[in-house]
Amino acid sequence: MDINTFLKALQEHGIELDDHQQRQFQKYFEILVEWNEKMNLTAITDQEGVYLKHFYDSLTAAFYYDFNQPLRICDVGAGAGFPSLPLKIVFPQLKVTIVDSLKKRITFLNHLAHELELDDVAFYHDRAENFGKNANFRESYDLVMARAVARMSVLSELCLPLTTKGGRFLAMKGPNLKDEIEDAKVAIQTVGGEVLDVHTFELPEEGSERNIAIIEKRRKTPKKYPRKAGTPNKTPIE
C-alpha cells in the first residue's frame, strides 16, 4: 500500500491526516526499519508492507469503535507499538499505556515516542498477568486492546482484568475468530465480559481476512484472575 493509497483508504472511512500526522507515520516507518536491524521488531520492513499490514491494519479499529473521545487505552503485548501508537497519531487526545514483557521493545517504544513527540503515553516492562494484578492499573482502562497476541481464551484473562466495568476489550485477530470465541465463551464470562460484536473484513490489496471482536466488561473480575505468569497460556479457562 503506497502512501497515497493509504491516505485515500483512510479518507473513505472519514479519517483525514494532516501534514504533521503524515510526517509522523513516515518517521515511524524509518525508525522501525532502523531499529529492526538491531532487534527483531517485525518481519515486514518494506514501506508498502508496513503501511498496509501495520499502520492501516492498526487503524481499522477506528472503523468499528469511536476513538474521538478522551479514552484511557491499554495495549497488551504491543510489540513495536501496534495498534495503539498509529491510533495515537490519528487521535492525539488518547491516553495510551503499553505493557510488554521484553525490555528491549520498551526501550524502542520510549525512543519512538520521543522522536514522534507523542505525549500521554506510558510504557511498562511487565508480564500482562502481573500488570493486571497491580492495583494502580487493574480495572482502570476504558479500552484494552490486543492485536494477534494469543488465542481469545488467554487474551480475555490478560485483558479484561485491566478493563474498567462498562469499558471494552477490543481484540484484533486474523481468520477463524468465531471458532476461537466459541472456545473462549467460558473464559470471557468468568473474568466479567460479554461479547458485543465481531466484525469481519478484508485488508485491501491482499484480501486477507481480519476480525475485530468487541467485548464489554459487565462485571468485576474475580480477584484470582489473572493467574500467575504463564498459567493462562498453559491451562486456559475452559
Side-chain angles (χ1 to χ4, degrees):
M1 176 177 270
D2 65 42
I3 293 168
N4 283 333
T5 309
F6 172 70
L7 296 174
K8 279 182 192 153
L10 293 180
Q11 281 170 353
E12 285 169 14
H13 290 276
I15 296 172
E16 298 267 355
L17 300 188
D18 61 26
D19 289 346
H20 175 62
Q21 290 166 317
Q22 290 179 43
R23 283 195 298 274
Q24 283 177 303
F25 275 113
Q26 185 57 28
K27 201 168 203 179
Y28 196 153
F29 164 69
E30 289 164 4
I31 293 167
L32 177 69
V33 171
E34 178 194 341
W35 278 62
N36 202 58
E37 291 176 6
K38 298 179 272 188
M39 55 189 282
N40 181 30
L41 290 164
T42 175
I44 302 160
T45 53
D46 64 295
Q47 187 171 40
E48 295 203 347
V50 169
Y51 269 78
L52 175 64
K53 294 181 183 175
H54 286 323
F55 296 163
Y56 181 84
D57 192 30
S58 294
L59 295 174
T60 57
F63 305 164
Y64 303 100
Y65 193 85
D66 180 14
F67 285 87
N68 285 300
Q69 46 187 324
L71 296 167
R72 293 161 299 165
I73 293 179
C74 183
D75 189 351
V76 174
F82 309 122
S84 57
L85 294 189
L87 288 161
K88 172 70 178 171
I89 290 171
V90 176
F91 304 97
Q93 84 289 350
L94 299 175
K95 290 178 164 53
V96 172
T97 296
I98 290 178
V99 56
D100 197 275
S101 60
L102 198 64
K103 185 80 169 72
K104 286 195 293 189
R105 282 200 289 257
I106 297 296
T107 304
F108 162 75
L109 291 168
N110 274 306
H111 173 75
L112 179 69
H114 174 74
E115 291 296 310
L116 299 184
E117 299 173 351
L118 301 176
D119 56 10
D120 276 332
V121 291
F123 308 114
Y124 293 92
H125 172 228
D126 204 352
R127 290 287 298 248
E129 296 95 330
N130 301 331
F131 197 73
K133 288 279 194 193
N134 188 320
N136 294 323
F137 308 112
R138 187 179 179 86
E139 299 193 321
S140 65
Y141 295 97
D142 305 307
L143 182 67
V144 178
M145 305 185 72
R147 179 174 175 255
V149 175
R151 59 197 187 280
M152 282 300 295
S153 50
V154 179
L155 275 186
S156 302
E157 186 174 350
L158 301 181
C159 295
L160 279 162
L162 291 163
T163 312
T164 189
K165 194 175 165 191
R168 302 286 188 271
F169 159 42
L170 195 152
M172 306 182 73
K173 305 278 284 179
N176 308 318
L177 180 58
K178 289 194 168 109
D179 295 341
E180 269 191 51
I181 284 186
E182 193 59 39
D183 294 342
K185 262 185 180 168
V186 174
I188 291 167
Q189 290 178 349
T190 300
V191 291
E194 296 288 343
V195 178
L196 287 183
D197 278 306
V198 178
H199 301 282
T200 303
F201 58 98
E202 289 186 349
L203 267 194
E205 298 188 356
E206 62 166 37
S208 55
E209 183 184 313
R210 293 289 187 273
N211 284 277
I212 293 178
I214 301 175
I215 294 161
E216 183 180 10
K217 176 75 168 277
R218 296 263 177 93
R219 300 168 297 281
K220 282 180 78 70
T221 302
K223 281 200 171 84
K224 67 181 279 194
Y225 301 108
R227 292 165 294 165
K228 67 181 185 184
T231 306
N233 207 30
K234 282 191 200 122
T235 54
I237 304 165
E238 286 175 341

